[in-house]
Amino acid sequence: MSADTETRDDRSGSASHVLLLSVAFAVPVLKLGWTLGSGAAAREALTAMGPANWFDILIGMFLDEPVLATVTAVVVSRTSYAYFAARGGALRLRDMPVTTSALVTVLVPVAMGLVVAVFNGVGWGLATGCLSYVLRLGVVAEYRSGRRRSGTGRRTGRQAVGPLERAADAAWILSLVLAFLVLPFVALTVALDGRAWSSVAVCDVDTGDGTERHRLVELSRDGTGVVGWDVAQAEVANGVHCAADENEVVRDPWWSAG
């Protein structure tokens, strides 16, 4: 039983890292392709943005969607902590007084909470910080109780004894649910909601037959204007004399598309 538990935990830890990388790689492409309408449109827009701006899409989604921001921050906080704890961090925390280890553990959750609070609101920031801290404390409790091996980070398989160890188990299960169910679902939902990942502006665009006012999804700045995706013409265009458009919806979401 112990060996099976260690193997499952080791695999789940590796899988959570792979999942985070997959979300960071695939979701921006899906967001780009669905919002603009095709793979060809996604290639054209990405070429105009430049490959170096790949993560602008991910960052835009993170800043505009509080649920995605919160879940991503919590999963990253817990996964990174478990990773470094298994590589020496757990030994240092185990030798510290409980109050000291609790204070050290709170630093990253506070930072995550502040970032989310600035862009998504104080309530979301508090939820992020508190949930990140609780999941990290669960990892600390497992090491202190000997239910994780300090050298490998693997769970020993010993049954939980007492309320604190059962609470640590609950935190572990919650971390798996967030990483493998909630995060992929929320990321896919945001990628397919049809909203722009960047600002939308109404600009003067030279169509070849004169200047018209078109909606552009901003891809990059160009002097006094923008380089953006022309929603009406389905192509990259240069726009000038732009005004912000509060409506960020570019296409119907996947679940309501005909």
Side-chain angles (χ1 to χ4, degrees), residues 100-127:
T100 303
S101 63
L103 289 174
V104 171
T105 306
V106 80
L107 296 178
V108 172
V110 167
M112 291 287 189
L114 286 174
V115 172
V116 174
V118 168
F119 294 107
N120 302 106
V122 175
W124 290 106
L126 286 173

Side-chain angles (χ1 to χ4, degrees), residues 45-56:
L46 188 59
T47 299
M49 294 171 65
N53 296 322
W54 175 282
F55 282 100
D56 286 354

Side-chain angles (χ1 to χ4, degrees), residues 78-231:
R78 198 271 180 188
T79 301
S80 62
Y81 186 70
Y83 176 85
F84 288 113
R87 283 152 182 79
L91 288 174
R92 291 191 294 273
L93 285 176
R94 190 186 63 185
D95 295 335
M96 293 180 182
V98 174
T99 53
T100 303
S101 63
L103 289 174
V104 171
T105 306
V106 80
L107 296 178
V108 172
V110 167
M112 291 287 189
L114 286 174
V115 172
V116 174
V118 168
F119 294 107
N120 302 106
V122 175
W124 290 106
L126 286 173
T128 299
C130 291
L131 190 52
S132 297
Y133 187 49
V134 167
L135 295 187
R136 282 181 162 232
L137 285 180
V139 178
V140 173
E142 288 181 321
Y143 278 111
R144 283 187 170 271
S145 63
R147 299 181 67 224
R148 276 188 187 267
R149 301 188 188 281
S150 301
T152 63
R154 297 178 181 177
R155 293 165 63 88
T156 62
R158 181 172 64 78
Q159 293 294 326
V161 178
L164 289 179
E165 291 188 5
R166 285 192 287 270
D169 272 358
W172 175 59
I173 293 171
L174 177 59
S175 70
L176 296 181
V177 171
L178 288 174
F180 296 108
L181 294 178
V182 179
L183 178 59
F185 175 78
V186 173
L188 287 174
T189 300
V190 174
L192 299 173
D193 65 2
R195 293 179 58 198
W197 65 93
S198 182
S199 58
V200 179
V202 179
C203 306
D204 288 339
V205 176
D206 186 354
T207 63
D209 296 321
T211 300
E212 299 178 5
R213 297 289 283 178
H214 285 189
R215 293 179 75 216
L216 301 182
V217 179
E218 184 179 326
L219 302 178
S220 64
R221 293 282 177 175
D222 183 22
T224 58
V226 301
V227 175
W229 181 261
D230 191 322
V231 177

